[in-house]
Every structure is written in structure tokens, then in C-alpha cells.
Amino acid sequence: MTRIYNKRLETTKRQQLRRRSPKAEQHLWHHLRRRQILGIKFCRQYSVERFVLDFYSPELKLAIEIDGPTHQGSQAQEYDQHRQQFIESLGIQFLRFTNQDIYHNLDNVLATLRTTIQQKTKPKSATQ
């Protein structure tokens, strides 16, 4: 089976992205790291095939993307849509926020994350 997660070939790219991460990503990472949200581990700059996700929880198969100015414009949005469709085809759920969401609505972003995590970790009932 071909390895599609965190390929060694992508290591340098992931390291560079971590070093040059935008302020909004750094701010959200401060709240995600060390299992601060409901005990769930998130990784920064996690690669799936040739794409690098801002944040990813392997345990939940949950990706979080923070869109800044580079994600504006029709070409960037088309690329993001293609990328998201590919990643979702692997069974990974995608949550997308903007820099402005992080800066001005962080409480809502964290509430959305908690709700999503609770839904994904809710035990299945015996009748299902």
C-alpha cells in the first residue's frame, strides 16, 4: 500500500510551513496543541498525499484549514475546492475558517470545534 500521510518527501515543506505560519494559524495552534480541546491531539502542517493541511487530528480524521488572503480569487478557490474534495474522498472531514474568524470570532471557532469533536466521538448506540 502506498503511503499517503506525512510522506518523507514532504518533510522539508511541512517544516518550512510551520516556521512561516501566519499569525492566525499560530493563534489557533495555541488553543489546539497539547490536547487542550476535549483531549484530542492535533498535528500542525500534516500532509495527505501532496497536500499539506494546517491542522489535522488522525484520531478523528478531522482537518482544519485557515484561509488567509492567499485563498481569495477564483483560481485559489477552485484549487481549494479540488483539494478539499480529494481529501474528503479519503474520509477526512474538513472545517474551514478565515483569518478574520480566528481574530474576531475565536470563541465561535472553538465552539464549532468542540461540537464537531463531540459529534465525532459520541458513542454509537447499540441499536445501530
Side-chain angles (χ1 to χ4, degrees), residues 36-106:
Q36 292 181 71
I37 298 183
L38 302 173
I40 299 300
K41 179 179 180 167
F42 282 92
C43 303
R44 277 175 68 194
Q45 305 303 335
Y46 194 92
S47 64
V48 176
E49 192 54 45
R50 69 183 188 276
F51 303 111
V52 179
L53 302 169
D54 293 335
F55 305 103
Y56 181 65
S57 170
E59 175 184 350
L60 298 178
K61 294 190 93 171
L62 177 63
I64 302 169
E65 284 294 300
I66 309 301
D67 293 344
T70 60
H71 294 268
Q72 296 172 354
S74 60
Q75 277 188 317
Q77 289 175 355
E78 188 177 309
Y79 173 81
D80 283 348
Q81 183 179 17
H82 166 75
R83 178 177 173 264
Q84 182 170 338
Q85 287 173 343
F86 173 78
I87 291 166
E88 287 176 334
S89 76
L90 299 172
I92 297 171
Q93 183 179 351
F94 225 87
L95 292 178
R96 190 177 288 282
F97 302 102
T98 65
N99 285 359
Q100 296 307 312
D101 293 330
I102 303 302
Y103 295 137
H104 302 293
N105 289 318
L106 183 60

Side-chain angles (χ1 to χ4, degrees), residues 21-37 40 42-44 54-55 64 66 102 106 109-110 113-114:
S21 64
K23 293 286 183 197
E25 285 182 27
Q26 292 173 25
H27 193 57
L28 183 58
W29 178 240
H30 177 75
H31 295 275
L32 293 176
R33 66 185 186 161
R34 297 187 184 135
R35 300 178 183 264
Q36 292 181 71
I37 298 183
I40 299 300
F42 282 92
C43 303
R44 277 175 68 194
D54 293 335
F55 305 103
I64 302 169
I66 309 301
I102 303 302
L106 183 60
V109 169
L110 296 175
L113 289 172
R114 282 187 196 93

